[in-house]
Structure formats: C-alpha cells, structure tokens
Amino acid sequence: MAERADAAIPEITAFAAVAQTGSFTKAAENLGTSKSNVGKAVQRLEARLGTRLFQRTTRAVRLTEDGETYLQAAQVALDSLRDAEQALAARRDEPLGRVRIDLPAGFGRLLLPSFRDLRQRYPKITLEIALTDRMSDAVGEGWDIVVRIGILPADSEMTVRKLCDLRLGLYAAPDYLIQRAPIDAVSELSAHDAVIFRGPTGRLRPWTVQDGDIVREISPSPVMVLADGQALVEATINGLGISQILDRVARPHVRAGRLVHVLPSADVDGPPVHALIPLGRRMPSKTRAVLDHLADQLRDK
C-alpha cells in the first residue's frame, strides 16, 4: 500500500474557500488564482483523503458529510496558523532582548534615571551599560550603541545619528563661592582654584571661554586633575574649585542647588553628541527603541 502524503496547506485553504463561498469561481477570486487551480487543489485533497468533499452540480457546490467534518477541523487548523503568524509578527516588531550601550561616564550617569521609563515602556528589553571615558571599539567589542561626545573619527563600519549639541560652562559649589570673591570677568578666574579634566589622550583640557567678543583658551593652574568626568563633577560639588562642565551634566545639579553657574557670559558652544550603531544589518526594534529614547531624552525642551 502506498504511503499517503499529508495534505498541503494551499489545498486546505482552497477547500475552505470553496466551502465558505459555495463557488469555485468566487474562491479563486478571493485567493487571487484561477478556477482551474482551485479545482485541482480540491481534487488533490480529495485524493489524499480518499473521499469526496463536495457534491457538484451545474447550479451549486455543497459539502458532503465528510466535507463538513473536514471543514470543522480545517477551520480550526487555519485559525491556529493565522494566530501563530500574528504572534510571530508581533514578536518581531516588539522590542525584545539585550541592548549593549557604551556611554561616557558623567554623561551616562545623567541618563541612568531615564532608563526606568524605558523599561516601563519596553519591559522585555534588557540593558547592559558601560560608563567609561575611553574610546571603545564599537564593532570589535560588540556594542549595539556607542554614544560619543566630540568629533568622530571616520568609520565606514558605523552609522551615525546626532543626538544633541552641548554647551560648556563654568560651575562651582555654593560653599566654595561663599568663601571667595565674586567673579565678574574671565580675567578674575586666575585667582580661583581650578579642577581640570585630563582627556583620553593624556592632555590636560584647557577651558574654552567667551571673553567679550573673543573665544579663547585659558589653562588655569589646577588644584586637582581628574581623568574621570563623574569624579570631576563630584569634586566640584564638594567645593574643591571651579570646573568646566557640559551644560547637560551640570543642569540637574544646578536645579538641586549643588552647583552654581559661574560667569554664564563665558559659556561657549561645546561638542556634539552622536550615537554610533554598527552597519551591515537591519537595526533591530530593540536597538531602535533605545536609540529613540536617548534622542528624546537629549532633545532640547
């Protein structure tokens, strides 16, 4: 006895369409095929099942008893397949899985509280975050998103999205300013204690300030040098001196009364902030959700 092959889904679909419309012609129109193809599909199904599913006359197409029995099972099966397809589509579209993000130390700590909102919106996203001021290898280290402040190196392996522009300002703790003379001009900064940042290249970062109509660099004598952006902010909050800090980083501390904006007229345009994402594949919905969240948090409001 020859082994009977299982019925193909297109044949079952054709059978159900004929049963629901009562017509091979209407079934073919609904399926976007020919009446001949629908008829052949039903014939193959009947041959596999070893029974007739329809009574055919010149005026009507009616289900046989076996056809009615098979239609009930076919409808359940087709409905289950449609439900499964919808579930898989939703899973593809729903942000799901781990997203690895590399953030500058001080800037990253500014963003950390906002990730609670992201998690509430997308509970199936898991975040792995590094807070560091070193220049990481986004591709080689497997990061999904790398946020960098400043001029970007040419990199054909990355796509770039600008997140925001920054301003650089001078800030100090209220306790420090109470003990020192007021600052009314850039020339008076030399009489104050300075907390200076040492960049990844090892160079002490001078202050770039607006002095009247001129933008110039000054290199104050430091009382403390730090290579960690967050440590620089904390040292300033603790009254060790004046430091130049990115406005987005300083803003929450100013609102909380931990820092005072010193000589706002000396503020200058700072570096841009970009997100880098590896090329070579369609961006997953989980990565796009996190990227959009970062852009929204850094948008000027």
Side-chain angles (χ1 to χ4, degrees):
M1 181 178 179
E3 183 179 353
R4 187 182 68 192
D6 291 333
I9 290 176
E11 295 169 1
I12 300 173
T13 302
F15 159 71
V18 174
Q20 290 163 0
T21 61
S23 165
F24 281 83
T25 300
K26 291 180 180 178
E29 292 174 355
N30 291 346
L31 296 175
T33 187
S34 67
K35 178 181 177 181
S36 174
N37 285 340
V38 172
K40 290 177 181 178
V42 171
Q43 288 174 2
R44 289 193 298 270
L45 181 60
E46 289 177 328
R48 286 192 176 97
L49 296 174
T51 187
R52 291 184 65 82
L53 300 173
F54 293 108
Q55 292 176 344
R56 302 168 177 85
T57 68
T58 56
R59 295 184 178 181
V61 177
R62 294 186 177 87
L63 286 166
T64 63
E65 184 178 351
D66 286 346
E68 291 177 353
T69 299
Y70 193 73
L71 178 61
Q72 293 178 6
Q75 287 177 329
V76 171
L78 292 173
D79 288 345
S80 296
L81 287 172
R82 292 189 191 98
D83 290 344
E85 288 177 359
Q86 292 173 359
L88 290 174
R91 183 173 180 179
R92 285 195 304 270
D93 296 336
E94 180 184 14
L96 168 69
R98 183 181 67 166
V99 179
R100 303 184 72 235
I101 318 169
D102 184 65
L103 293 165
F107 204 69
R109 286 182 173 85
L110 170 70
L111 290 167
L112 277 178
S114 77
F115 289 128
R116 181 173 181 270
D117 294 334
L118 177 70
R119 283 279 303 142
Q120 289 178 339
R121 186 174 181 184
Y122 303 113
K124 294 183 180 179
I125 287 180
T126 299
L127 300 174
E128 180 178 337
I129 300 172
L131 301 177
T132 175
D133 288 315
R134 70 180 179 84
M135 299 294 282
S136 61
D137 178 358
V139 176
E141 296 177 27
W143 296 105
D144 297 301
I145 301 174
V146 171
V147 175
R148 286 182 174 164
I149 299 174
I151 303 300
L152 298 175
D155 193 339
S156 61
E157 296 183 295
M158 306 296 293
T159 185
V160 177
R161 177 171 173 179
K162 186 175 181 180
L163 297 178
C164 70
D165 289 305
L166 299 173
R167 297 274 290 172
L168 281 166
L170 300 169
Y171 297 87
D175 290 346
Y176 171 86
L177 294 174
I178 288 173
Q179 301 170 21
R180 309 297 291 261
I183 305 170
D184 297 315
V186 169
S187 59
E188 298 171 355
L189 291 171
S190 59
H192 285 264
D193 297 337
V195 181
I196 303 297
F197 183 74
R198 187 184 296 278
T201 63
R203 176 174 174 261
L204 293 183
R205 185 172 296 169
W207 292 348
T208 303
V209 296
Q210 184 77 42
D211 188 7
D213 296 330
I214 301 171
V215 174
R216 62 189 182 94
E217 289 188 350
I218 59 176
S219 298
S221 179
V223 298
M224 181 175 289
V225 176
L226 293 162
D228 180 283
Q230 180 61 22
L232 180 137
V233 173
E234 292 175 359
T236 308
I237 289 172
N238 282 288
L240 288 166
I242 298 172
S243 63
Q244 192 165 50
I245 302 173
L246 298 170
D247 61 339
R248 297 300 185 102
V249 175
R251 191 175 296 167
H253 300 296
V254 171
R255 290 172 178 165
R258 293 185 291 268
L259 288 177
V260 174
H261 195 174
V262 175
L263 208 62
S265 61
D267 287 4
V268 294
D269 290 335
V273 180
H274 294 94
L276 286 72
I277 305 97
L279 287 174
R281 53 188 171 85
R282 179 176 176 271
M283 188 186 300
S285 59
K286 61 179 182 178
T287 304
R288 184 171 298 282
V290 176
L291 183 60
D292 289 345
H293 173 80
L294 293 173
D296 182 64
Q297 290 299 310
L298 297 174
R299 187 179 298 116
D300 284 325
K301 297 177 181 179

